[in-house]
Amino acid sequence: MKKDFLWWRDGIIYQIYPRSYADTQNDGIGDLQGIINKLGYIQDLGVDAIWLSPIYPSPDVDFGYDVAEYTDIDPKFGTMKDFDQLVKEAKKRGIRIILDLVLNHTSDQHSWFIESKRSKDNPYHDWYLWRDPKPNGDPPNNWQSVFGGSAWEFVPELGQYYYHMFYKEQPDVNWRHPKVRAAMLDVFRFWLKKGVAGFRLDVFNAYFKDSAFRDNPTKIGLRAFDRQEHIYDVSQPEMIPLLNEIREICDQFKETYVVGETFLADAAQSAAYCGDDKLHAAFNIGFAHNRWHPKRFLTASLKWYEALGEKAWPNNHLSNHDVQRTATRYCFGEDDRRAKVAAAMLLTLKGTPFVYYGEEIGLRDIPIRKKEDIKDPVGITFWPFYKGRDGCRSPMQWNSELNAGFSQAKPWLPVHENFPDRNVIRQASYPDSLLNFFKSIIEIRKKEPALQRGDFYPLVENPRHILAYLRRQEEDQVAVILNFSSRNLEFDLPDGKWISLLDQDKQISDSIKMNPYGVALLKLQT
Ligand code: GLC
């Protein structure tokens, strides 16, 4: 590893959804001790940091994304002592912890909201967005909740509505209130002092809303939420000075990283939030919705790089806790060949790769067959058109034993029925598995600075079957060739003698034969 290795630029970030990783309390829900037990596995994978989906006390209307207390740990995940132990044990293994901060809204069970709702003259009342009804009793404006229905909830005792971008149990806070702002910034300080290395900011660009609460203009769309131009309920200019302040706080600690989940924003808008005095990075959401076509990925990548320019280092993800898993989207049945192409792409494109737990063994989404079985309320609301996000949140599959080794008790979501064959122990046992493929690409990436921080040059402008690109860092050049098709193809290489990094340093020049869904990583011999 080079001396100037910078973990968030050169390394790999592994997202864990703690409910579903490993359960030691035997209540069917994963916990912090479970993650601590698996640190050896995580280190062995070769990742540099873990992003933990929320672990704070929460009534779980949105499974942790409704926070009832920002500076504590939910007992179902363990204690603050467990958290400190996790940070310490992870550090020993060279792994950093990134926390998910959900600061656009709290849970309606947060003490701030409970106070806020008591009366109009309660000191906490203005910590949330309360408005009077229109003279005819209607909500104050036309804003809609992403999770369905009006974004305004009426509280008869107060004769006022409060605003919630997500569920009604997730009231949005009033970021313009100086005390809210101060309290939230203290949350950053609290966790930084505990030794976390960074944060993922949930829907940060929704923190501020238009102060005059103007109606959004309407447009054509399927759901009520999509029938509006979201110009007044997200992406307000006040966000930039706030990001400056957040960055200043984080920069007081060594090598921190803040990545934002931009909401309803394209590549250019997301990029505008990044820079030396803003976020280190934002997510490029579109990537995870691409069809299986090399051109789609090339176009999305180039657009992302162009938007970011020199401002910030890109990142890439194919899966997370909100979207269908990579393997579900792209693979046929249990065939992992496309998952390997996707993994090789994710781990070698320019940008920090985010790997979602289980992606390394090709977890598939669990099928959602009945409305009664759904846990994610969005799935219940929009059934049968949209079945929610349970599919991609099922338990990690560790072995072929009871509940895939996830828990001794009935898991909160069912384990995928493919677990007897698709699990960590099984995949570790044969060289050709997706897990071992992931590890070998990660190992190569670790040795090749060009794959970490190198520039990016497409080798085919208009790809139909093969996505090919060069990563270059000073004299080091690595060519990545990914056959997206089920055909045997031949690919003409740029001039020079190439060494195959995946194929025992075999020498190749002129052209390379690509198997169906084949992957080649070639280093230029100098
Ligand atoms: C983000 C999270 C999602 C959550 C929502 C509301 O989009 O990724 O899981 O439901 O914010 O907090």
Side-chain angles (χ1 to χ4, degrees):
M1 208 180 283
K2 279 219 169 174
K3 267 213 207 75
D4 58 349
F5 178 85
L6 181 55
W7 70 272
W8 56 260
R9 178 192 59 196
D10 305 324
I12 297 167
I13 298 173
Y14 185 64
Q15 181 191 354
I16 292 183
Y17 194 71
R19 287 184 80 83
S20 298
Y21 204 59
D23 175 20
T24 60
Q25 295 176 347
N26 288 325
D27 54 3
I29 295 174
D31 46 55
L32 295 180
Q33 283 299 334
I35 299 173
I36 295 171
N37 287 346
K38 300 297 182 188
L39 282 173
Y41 167 77
I42 297 168
Q43 180 183 21
D44 204 38
L45 257 183
V47 303
D48 302 86
I50 296 170
W51 149 24
L52 287 179
S53 280
I55 48 171
Y56 325 100
S58 165
D60 285 333
V61 171
D62 194 14
F63 298 105
Y65 287 89
D66 46 328
V67 179
E69 163 67 67
Y70 287 110
T71 52
D72 206 350
I73 305 292
D74 194 301
K76 66 180 165 287
F77 293 131
T79 61
M80 193 56 91
K81 226 171 117 208
D82 294 326
F83 180 77
D84 292 336
Q85 188 190 350
L86 172 63
V87 173
K88 201 166 126 210
E89 295 295 324
K91 191 173 176 196
K92 279 192 207 154
R93 296 171 185 273
I95 299 169
R96 289 155 173 91
I97 303 293
I98 297 175
L99 287 186
D100 207 324
L101 287 185
V102 190
L103 309 180
N104 173 68
H105 44 269
T106 67
S107 156
D108 63 350
Q109 300 306 308
H110 195 296
S111 59
W112 300 343
F113 189 70
I114 294 174
E115 287 300 312
S116 174
K117 211 176 152 178
R118 275 192 212 285
S119 69
K120 286 191 205 166
D121 47 20
N122 187 288
Y124 285 91
H125 188 65
D126 289 344
W127 283 45
Y128 293 82
L129 302 166
W130 294 94
R131 313 299 290 169
D132 291 336
K134 283 190 174 164
N136 67 357
D138 279 357
N141 67 18
N142 71 350
W143 295 356
Q144 296 289 308
S145 154
V146 199
F147 287 167
S150 164
W152 294 96
E153 180 70 12
F154 189 63
V155 177
E157 299 79 35
L158 297 189
Q160 283 192 314
Y161 285 90
Y162 70 85
Y163 174 77
H164 58 92
M165 167 66 91
F166 296 91
Y167 299 124
K168 65 176 180 2
E169 294 85 352
Q170 293 170 297
D172 286 41
V173 300
N174 176 11
W175 266 93
R176 287 199 178 81
H177 193 305
K179 287 195 174 155
V180 170
R181 190 178 177 116
M184 291 304 199
L185 293 177
D186 277 345
V187 173
F188 286 86
R189 295 189 187 96
F190 177 88
W191 292 108
L192 285 164
K193 283 187 200 142
K194 288 226 156 259
V196 310
F199 304 100
R200 175 242 186 212
L201 302 186
D202 191 70
V203 295
F204 73 94
N205 61 319
Y207 290 2
F208 292 96
K209 294 82 172 139
D210 178 46
S211 54
F213 292 89
R214 278 169 282 187
D215 277 347
N216 279 324
T218 52
K219 61 168 187 163
I220 293 170
L222 220 53
R223 297 180 311 156
F225 187 81
D226 304 325
R227 288 198 293 271
Q228 293 189 358
E229 309 268 9
H230 293 278
I231 58 171
Y232 292 128
D233 49 354
V234 295
S235 302
Q236 301 301 299
E238 289 94 329
M239 197 57 214
I240 299 290
L242 176 62
L243 288 178
N244 299 151
E245 210 173 333
I246 291 174
R247 181 63 180 262
E248 238 176 71
I249 292 169
C250 293
D251 278 351
Q252 287 163 16
F253 295 77
K254 199 170 157 242
E255 287 189 5
T256 49
Y257 177 66
V258 189
V259 53
E261 181 203 21
T262 21
F263 179 59
L264 305 173
D266 61 18
Q269 288 166 317
S270 302
Y273 291 111
C274 303
D276 285 345
D277 59 351
K278 292 177 264 185
L279 296 173
H280 292 81
F283 289 121
N284 182 17
I285 314 267
F287 215 67
H289 296 286
N290 276 344
R291 267 200 303 121
W292 186 255
H293 195 292
K295 180 139 189 234
R296 290 273 176 150
F297 288 101
L298 179 62
T299 310
S301 304
L302 291 174
K303 208 164 134 194
W304 191 213
Y305 304 152
E306 198 199 327
L308 288 169
E310 297 293 306
K311 273 203 296 276
W313 185 247
N315 59 21
N316 298 302
H317 70 281
L318 289 168
S319 287
N320 65 29
H321 63 291
D322 290 329
V323 298
Q324 218 179 36
R325 284 181 171 276
T326 315
T328 313
R329 281 203 312 274
Y330 301 132
C331 295
F332 296 111
E334 294 293 318
D335 181 348
D336 278 347
R337 289 178 302 172
R338 283 183 167 192
K340 286 184 178 170
V341 176
M345 174 178 74
L346 179 67
L347 296 166
T348 62
L349 275 175
K350 179 175 164 186
T352 315
F354 279 69
V355 176
Y356 183 50
Y357 85 94
E359 194 171 357
E360 71 277 19
I361 55 166
L363 278 196
R364 298 337 193 224
D365 286 43
I366 49 167
I368 311 294
R369 298 199 173 95
K370 291 195 296 235
K371 189 176 171 186
E372 304 83 80
D373 294 341
I374 297 181
K375 295 276 191 304
D376 179 12
V378 201
I380 300 172
T381 308
F382 292 108
W383 173 273
F385 306 104
Y386 173 64
K387 295 177 184 169
R389 301 163 293 179
D390 292 350
C392 65
R393 297 173 175 179
S394 68
M396 180 64 174
Q397 295 168 199
W398 296 104
N399 56 41
S400 57
E401 290 159 32
L402 177 70
N403 299 324
F406 163 71
S407 173
Q408 294 301 307
K410 185 171 180 251
W412 77 285
L413 279 177
V415 176
H416 197 291
E417 60 189 23
N418 65 10
F419 82 91
D421 280 322
R422 186 173 295 286
N423 62 64
V424 169
I425 296 288
R426 168 99 181 86
Q427 290 207 12
S429 74
Y430 65 102
D432 212 22
S433 67
L434 180 59
L435 177 61
N436 282 321
F437 182 80
F438 248 92
K439 284 196 199 167
S440 54
I441 305 269
I442 291 177
E443 223 170 278
I444 293 170
R445 184 188 153 94
K446 281 200 183 305
K447 289 192 206 125
E448 301 295 338
L451 287 180
Q452 298 167 9
R453 77 196 75 152
D455 292 330
F456 176 91
Y457 303 95
L459 290 172
V460 187
E461 294 289 322
N462 205 355
R464 287 179 53 215
H465 303 300
I466 288 187
L467 179 62
Y469 44 88
L470 203 62
R471 300 290 311 278
R472 185 192 296 162
Q473 166 75 9
E474 291 158 15
E475 306 90 77
D476 283 340
Q477 294 194 42
V478 177
V480 178
I481 301 149
L482 308 168
N483 186 356
F484 271 63
S485 83
S486 56
R487 309 183 193 176
N488 284 296
L489 295 170
E490 184 132 358
F491 184 78
D492 290 335
L493 295 171
D495 291 345
K497 285 208 172 81
W498 298 86
I499 299 171
S500 172
L501 297 173
L502 274 169
D503 193 5
Q504 291 154 13
D505 291 351
K506 196 168 119 191
Q507 295 209 8
I508 306 172
S509 43
D510 303 327
S511 75
I512 181 170
K513 285 198 167 42
M514 297 295 297
N515 290 329
Y517 302 117
V519 170
L521 301 185
L522 308 174
K523 184 166 182 171
L524 187 67
Q525 230 175 356
T526 42

